[in-house]
Amino acid sequence: MDAAAPPRLVYCGIDPVRFSSPRSNRVSIRTRTRPVLAVATDPKPTRKTPSQSSPSNNNVNGSSKSSSSKKSVNGVSTEIKRVRAQMEENEDLAILMRGLRGQNLRDSQFADDNIQLRLVEVDVSSEFLPLAYDPASISAYWGKRPRAVATRIIQLLSVAGGFLSRLAMDVVNKKVKENEVARAIELREIVTSLGPAYIKLGQALSIRPDILSPVAMMELQKLCDKVPSFPDDIAMALIEEELGQPWQEIYSELSSSPIAAASLGQVYKGRLKENGDLVAVKVQRPFVLETVTVDLFVIRNLGLVLRKFPQISIDVVGLVDEWAARFFEELDYINEGENGQLFSEMMRKDLPQVVIPRTYQKYTSRKVLTTEWIEGEKLSQSTESDVGELVNVGVICYLKQ
């Protein structure tokens, strides 16, 4: 990072508004315009004329204010240091804070090679699966394929069964704390192997200290960009299928392997052939729609069974429907690109420090997203002075949204 350049907050794939698409394959945007009432900024110093105050009064008041300000700032700084010291003394809290800062992640760390995502591959066409969340259509599709559903249920039970039995033994033998790290790593590997829906669930749990221990949270945070990648030849074939021509006709260069892999896709670094722009090319995993919908079908039907027991207060069906509707929007990269452009327009006037990569719509489809490449660094790697400024920008950005 250039020392002379002010730190900027880079947002990728932000979803600033809700979307509605009850019957169409294309997710439409429904904008909601709200006025920004105020944005916090540093107060501008007032300029006083000679008639408003005498030189002697200015000197006295200035000295007094300066001294008072220094005492105030020093007092706050001392208090912050004291609180930080107390936090470090609490082992669980220290682990939690390091995890929230992302200090447990390494850029080169992908999932272990022996971990494979268990995706549902079907021979029949998936064109009858909805592109916008529709429980009835999903139920109709998988209801006609009981063998595939049974195979998925067996996968889930075989993977999770052993973990749950070992966890139960830890409780019986009072070794939960002793085996906490091992079980956390095992949980991450299980969630990874079960595929996109469960990885997304793990990512949601990774910021819930009210549900998981700090150790388990830190392990699940590795799911953000430490997921196994899929073969490069499949990714290149998908680019050709989605964009209508071989990748060599679009990009003059493309990294030989992905630079990051997440639950829904993986990213390559490339350069556009037409203008030489550096770009990030995100390619969706094969069989994501099939795997996600069969998991939703299984979980939702389990929720329907649980509704028969009034003593169970959790509405699993309602939670699944709300979560799945948002999840489906992430499967459409055209929608994601439009979100980015919309969010950029919303932020440009008041928060130019917030940078959203430009989307190249010509080279974007439902499963391939081409955006501007931006060099940056994680917040955990930033200097102390940058972190303070970036946090301020982040808070104002959140309030503006």
Side-chain angles (χ1 to χ4, degrees), residues 22 28 36 39 103 109 112 152 158 164 203-204 218 221-222 226 228 232 259 270 286 289 322 326 329 363 388:
S28 60
V36 180
V39 175
Q103 294 175 338
Q109 182 183 31
D112 294 338
R152 183 58 172 174
S158 63
L164 294 176
Q203 290 172 346
M218 285 187 68
Q221 284 167 8
K222 296 177 182 178
K226 313 301 175 187
D232 299 310
I259 58 168
L289 184 62
E322 176 65 23
R326 306 296 306 204
E329 293 171 2
Y363 305 117

Side-chain angles (χ1 to χ4, degrees), residues 279-352:
V279 293
V281 184
K282 183 160 71 170
V283 185
Q284 194 171 112
R285 291 181 182 276
F287 300 109
V288 164
L289 184 62
E290 292 85 349
T291 305
V292 168
T293 52
V294 73
D295 286 339
L296 292 174
F297 175 75
V298 171
I299 298 172
R300 197 174 190 278
N301 277 280
L302 175 62
L304 291 173
V305 173
L306 295 177
R307 276 185 172 178
K308 299 178 180 180
F309 300 89
Q311 61 269 32
I312 299 178
S313 60
I314 300 177
D315 183 10
V316 175
V317 174
L319 291 173
V320 167
D321 287 346
E322 176 65 23
W323 177 71
R326 306 296 306 204
F327 194 3
F328 261 68
E329 293 171 2
E330 296 186 41
L331 296 175
D332 186 353
Y333 288 171
I334 294 176
N335 182 51
E336 181 175 336
E338 291 175 349
N339 281 351
Q341 296 304 111
L342 175 62
F343 191 72
S344 178
E345 294 169 4
M346 296 169 66
M347 292 290 126
R348 185 177 295 118
K349 180 179 178 181
D350 296 314
L351 285 174

Side-chain angles (χ1 to χ4, degrees), residues 266-284:
Q266 58 197 36
V267 177
Y268 296 84
K269 182 178 181 180
R271 188 180 297 276
L272 283 180
K273 199 168 186 179
E274 67 175 28
N275 56 18
D277 288 355
L278 277 176
V279 293
V281 184
K282 183 160 71 170
V283 185
Q284 194 171 112

Side-chain angles (χ1 to χ4, degrees), residues 99-371:
L100 292 176
R101 295 185 190 117
Q103 294 175 338
N104 58 318
L105 301 178
R106 301 191 304 271
D107 286 342
S108 60
Q109 182 183 31
F110 280 82
D112 294 338
D113 293 336
N114 60 341
I115 300 178
Q116 298 295 326
L117 267 70
R118 289 173 168 81
L119 300 178
V120 178
E121 302 183 14
V122 293
D123 296 330
V124 295
S125 173
S126 62
E127 64 183 12
F128 298 108
L129 281 171
L131 301 182
Y133 181 60
D134 181 1
S137 298
I138 293 173
S139 180
Y141 181 88
W142 289 111
K144 298 176 181 177
R145 296 165 177 82
R147 180 176 297 181
V149 174
T151 301
R152 183 58 172 174
I153 293 174
I154 293 173
Q155 279 184 351
L156 298 175
L157 293 177
S158 63
V159 171
F163 171 77
L164 294 176
S165 63
R166 287 186 289 275
L167 193 61
M169 290 300 297
D170 288 343
V171 174
V172 172
N173 298 326
K174 298 181 179 180
K175 292 186 176 180
V176 174
K177 189 68 176 178
E178 178 182 339
N179 295 332
E180 185 178 24
V181 174
R183 295 291 173 261
I185 295 173
E186 191 176 355
L187 176 62
R188 173 176 55 80
E189 293 177 347
I190 287 174
V191 169
T192 301
S193 69
L194 290 178
Y198 292 93
I199 291 173
K200 284 290 183 183
L201 179 60
Q203 290 172 346
L205 291 174
S206 71
I207 56 173
R208 293 296 300 273
D210 56 322
I211 298 177
L212 296 179
S213 70
V215 172
M217 284 176 57
M218 285 187 68
E219 281 299 324
L220 291 184
Q221 284 167 8
K222 296 177 182 178
L223 296 170
C224 292
D225 56 359
K226 313 301 175 187
V227 178
S229 59
F230 60 92
D232 299 310
D233 57 340
I234 294 178
M236 299 305 109
L238 185 59
I239 291 176
E240 181 173 353
E241 179 183 342
E242 287 289 309
L243 301 184
Q245 51 188 320
W247 71 263
Q248 296 92 339
E249 299 296 322
I250 302 171
Y251 313 102
S252 59
E253 57 186 71
L254 205 61
S255 56
S256 58
S257 59
I259 58 168
S263 58
L264 301 183
Q266 58 197 36
V267 177
Y268 296 84
K269 182 178 181 180
R271 188 180 297 276
L272 283 180
K273 199 168 186 179
E274 67 175 28
N275 56 18
D277 288 355
L278 277 176
V279 293
V281 184
K282 183 160 71 170
V283 185
Q284 194 171 112
R285 291 181 182 276
F287 300 109
V288 164
L289 184 62
E290 292 85 349
T291 305
V292 168
T293 52
V294 73
D295 286 339
L296 292 174
F297 175 75
V298 171
I299 298 172
R300 197 174 190 278
N301 277 280
L302 175 62
L304 291 173
V305 173
L306 295 177
R307 276 185 172 178
K308 299 178 180 180
F309 300 89
Q311 61 269 32
I312 299 178
S313 60
I314 300 177
D315 183 10
V316 175
V317 174
L319 291 173
V320 167
D321 287 346
E322 176 65 23
W323 177 71
R326 306 296 306 204
F327 194 3
F328 261 68
E329 293 171 2
E330 296 186 41
L331 296 175
D332 186 353
Y333 288 171
I334 294 176
N335 182 51
E336 181 175 336
E338 291 175 349
N339 281 351
Q341 296 304 111
L342 175 62
F343 191 72
S344 178
E345 294 169 4
M346 296 169 66
M347 292 290 126
R348 185 177 295 118
K349 180 179 178 181
D350 296 314
L351 285 174
Q353 306 98 315
V354 177
V355 180
I356 296 87
R358 170 193 171 193
T359 297
Y360 294 86
Q361 296 179 348
K362 183 179 178 181
Y363 305 117
T364 294
S365 70
R366 189 174 179 276
K367 295 183 180 180
V368 176
L369 174 64
T370 303
T371 65

Side-chain angles (χ1 to χ4, degrees), residues 59-84:
N59 291 337
V60 173
N61 292 340
S63 299
S64 174
K65 289 180 180 178
S66 176
S67 175
S68 174
S69 298
K70 287 181 180 179
K71 288 181 181 179
S72 175
V73 170
N74 290 337
V76 172
S77 178
T78 302
E79 180 66 15
I80 291 175
K81 290 179 180 179
R82 185 183 67 80
V83 172
R84 283 179 177 172

